Amino acid sequence: MAASRRPLTIALNRGDRILSDSLSLLARAGIEPAESIERSRKLVFDSRCGRARLVIMRGSDVPTFVEYGAADLGVAGKDTLLEHGGTGYYERLDLKIAPCRLMTAVPVGFREPHGRPLRVATKFVRIAREHYADIGRAVEIIPLSGAMEIAPLMGLADCIVDIVETGTTLKANGLEARELIAESTARVIVNRASLKVRLGEIEALLATLRSAIGD
Ligand code: PRP
């Protein structure tokens, strides 16, 4: 089959909110899964129109699939892209969904430690390292995969770097937000080679998505 006939492979973040909003926007661009994603354990779905194939994965893996060309396009949070730091894709569209802020957070009543670096628990290791380097603060980064909020509670770290959406999780765990590092929304990224080879198709999809979000 000619390369241009192959369905476009689109990598989607499996997170509940970002997935349902991504699917709604894609549906407005005429791309809908042939069967219900929510009710299936499958991870790869053909589209009804046959123009696309949707692949569901952990958000942090989306840029990797797109960078290596295993997916032509992907939807990933700006937070994830900053952390990934990849160069094999173009960031082409801000979908303005899944808004959140990357922030530092500390226990309520926090006091700076003296005589040792600040211990920071996070899954955003690169972002945290750059942030504290920018403000000239010596830190020890403690990498975690999730549920960073428990690290200060358990005495593992002084503070965390994490995404904050409503602030409910911080509050429920006795933490408060401190420094804003970056604002994040979901972005469409495109593999560099795919954009060259399938320019018309991809630009048409981006244009339809752009009008679906009212840009
Ligand atoms: C994220 C983040 C916080 C929470 C913040 O976790 O890590 O735990 O959302 O949202 P809130 O401000 O509305 O409370 P997510 O549910 O995405 O799971 P994760 O821990 O796997 O990242």
Side-chain angles (χ1 to χ4, degrees), residues 28-133:
R28 289 166 72 181
I31 294 175
E32 289 179 273
E35 60 188 292
S36 164
I37 290 182
E38 286 84 359
R39 277 186 253 117
S40 174
R41 295 289 296 166
K42 277 171 61 174
L43 299 170
V44 181
F45 297 84
D46 293 327
S47 68
R48 279 183 218 275
C49 63
R51 285 188 291 136
R53 193 166 57 139
L54 306 175
V55 190
I56 313 302
M57 63 188 69
R58 193 178 276 265
S60 53
D61 291 333
V62 169
T64 307
F65 272 72
V66 176
E67 181 168 31
Y68 283 91
D72 301 295
L73 297 99
V75 175
K78 182 67 181 176
D79 56 324
T80 304
L81 299 178
L82 289 170
E83 181 62 20
H84 184 263
T87 52
Y89 50 79
Y90 298 109
E91 187 184 315
R92 286 300 310 272
L93 184 60
D94 182 351
L95 291 176
K96 299 176 181 165
I97 58 173
C100 59
R101 286 161 292 153
L102 260 166
M103 304 206 65
T104 67
V106 297
V108 174
F110 170 75
R111 290 210 201 122
E112 290 275 338
H114 290 290
R116 65 166 174 82
L118 189 69
R119 281 204 297 266
V120 184
T122 189
K123 68 177 178 187
F124 298 99
V125 170
R126 173 197 289 258
I127 292 170
R129 200 163 274 140
E130 282 177 7
H131 169 70
Y132 287 103

Side-chain angles (χ1 to χ4, degrees), residues 104-110 160 170-171 173-179:
T104 67
V106 297
V108 174
F110 170 75
I160 63 171
L170 289 184
K171 199 167 174 207
N173 290 287
L175 300 171
E176 59 190 14
R178 273 275 169 97
E179 298 133 16

Side-chain angles (χ1 to χ4, degrees), residues 17 123 145-149 162-170:
R17 288 167 291 194
K123 68 177 178 187
S145 318
M148 272 78 77
E149 294 86 358
D162 197 6
I163 53 171
V164 181
E165 191 182 350
T166 61
T168 311
T169 312
L170 289 184

Side-chain angles (χ1 to χ4, degrees), residues 131-191:
H131 169 70
Y132 287 103
D134 283 351
I135 62 171
R137 183 76 172 85
V139 291
E140 181 185 346
I141 304 288
I142 301 175
L144 291 178
S145 318
M148 272 78 77
E149 294 86 358
I150 56 174
L153 278 180
M154 307 305 290
L156 176 64
D158 299 304
C159 62
I160 63 171
V161 167
D162 197 6
I163 53 171
V164 181
E165 191 182 350
T166 61
T168 311
T169 312
L170 289 184
K171 199 167 174 207
N173 290 287
L175 300 171
E176 59 190 14
R178 273 275 169 97
E179 298 133 16
L180 172 67
I181 302 177
E183 305 267 1
S184 174
T185 45
R187 312 293 162 96
V188 177
I189 56 172
V190 185
N191 173 267

